[in-house]
Amino acid sequence: MPDRLRSLDVARGIAALAVVFWHWQHFFMDVNPLGHDNNLAAFNAASQPLYSWFSGFYDHGYRAVMFFFVLSGFVFFWLYSDSISQRRCSLQKFAVLRFARLYPLHLVTLLIVALLQWYCREHWESDFAYSFNDGYHFGLHLIGISYWGFESGYSYNAPTWSVSLELGLYAIFFLVAYLGHTTWRKTLGIAAIALLLERLHLGGRWAEPVGAFFLGGLTYYGSMQYLKRRTNRSDAVLYVATLLVWVGFSITGKFVFRTPVFPLTILTLIVTEIRFSKLFQPLAWIGDITYSTYLLHFPLQLVFVITAIELGFDSGIFYHPASLLIYLAILIPGSWLTFHYFERPLQTWLRGALMSKPISRPAERPTAPLADVSAT
């Protein structure tokens, strides 16, 4: 296994952009001070900008969230399962690593969204997209449990609901790893039970994420075994199988295809990177900006809404391709700058300040998950 899997970095970056496209419909929701076509009953999805190019993202971008959970499981089993079970990674170290990576940008974007939603209410008596923007829900976001079941609905920087769930997944994972050595059998059992509960519509909002996370752990164990035994013929079979599952998933969306599609995709990307080691290097920056892209895209939408109203436009302007291109031209470079000049320096400083012993950089070499990112 390579020290860093740039192919997975790229994949999670593209998945984050899929969520960005899926959320373009925010501009046409009922809770919207823009007026005009601000009702999803009148919303024309096929008229969204450059729809013929990005229809898959516009129509199915929400599915990327499950990919994030599966990828997170893969990465955390890879990075932490043995070190936690062998007591080489304490709860303090694990918590500090996660806090330093996730919380600073989460806090800043929460404050930005709170300010911008207040502006919308003060000037147009309407929030944008999400309406439960009160002190109680602010508190839930502040402590990272905005989607644990205590909320009345989506609020503030609502796409961070997946980050909220992922924090819970981290806690479950740490407990499972700490209580005993993780094995593929234990991981399979947890994933199977969680996914069964999801199929039976039991387990609430937690069943599918837990199942996806531990399915990612099972993907890690399966990948390690496959890589020990792989041949050119088996790689060819893997590519064909992954393609067929993706076709079945795209056509039907059925559980029988939905379950293996992301594990097979992860393994296929790893094999591809091993075969073509430099293929993904020029695109690795896409993975770097995943978390900032995910957390910044809704605040930027608020800025666009306020600007559009001040300039006298209604929501129809967001059907125009220029609006999307300008939005992406701000979001992507802005995310890159945020990662390099805010996220990374502050992460390094916090880890040094909060840990009794310095944390070596190599511990973070492999790809980090979205909730080093997450999403709706």
Side-chain angles (χ1 to χ4, degrees), residues 98-170:
R98 297 301 90 215
F99 175 83
R101 178 68 184 95
L102 301 178
Y103 197 76
L105 188 59
H106 166 68
L107 177 60
V108 169
T109 54
L110 172 62
L111 295 173
I112 291 172
V113 169
L115 178 63
L116 294 175
Q117 291 284 30
W118 170 82
Y119 185 91
C120 288
R121 285 194 304 274
E122 286 293 306
H123 289 76
W124 306 293
E125 298 182 352
S126 175
D127 296 77
F128 172 65
Y130 306 113
S131 57
F132 294 96
N133 300 313
D134 53 27
Y136 171 74
H137 287 87
F138 184 87
L140 294 181
H141 279 271
L142 202 61
I143 59 176
I145 59 171
S146 61
Y147 200 66
W148 283 27
F150 305 111
E151 75 287 348
S152 301
Y154 292 117
S155 59
Y156 292 102
N157 198 5
T160 59
W161 69 264
S162 57
V163 180
S164 172
L165 286 184
E166 193 144 354
L167 293 175
L169 295 176
Y170 294 163

Side-chain angles (χ1 to χ4, degrees), residues 287-323:
D288 291 340
I289 68 171
T290 302
Y291 189 54
S292 50
T293 298
Y294 191 71
L295 263 68
L296 289 173
H297 80 273
F298 182 68
L300 184 58
Q301 284 190 322
L302 270 162
V303 171
F304 268 54
V305 165
I306 292 171
T307 302
I309 294 174
E310 294 293 354
L311 294 177
F313 294 106
D314 57 33
S315 62
I317 190 65
F318 295 107
Y319 284 121
H320 198 284
S323 63

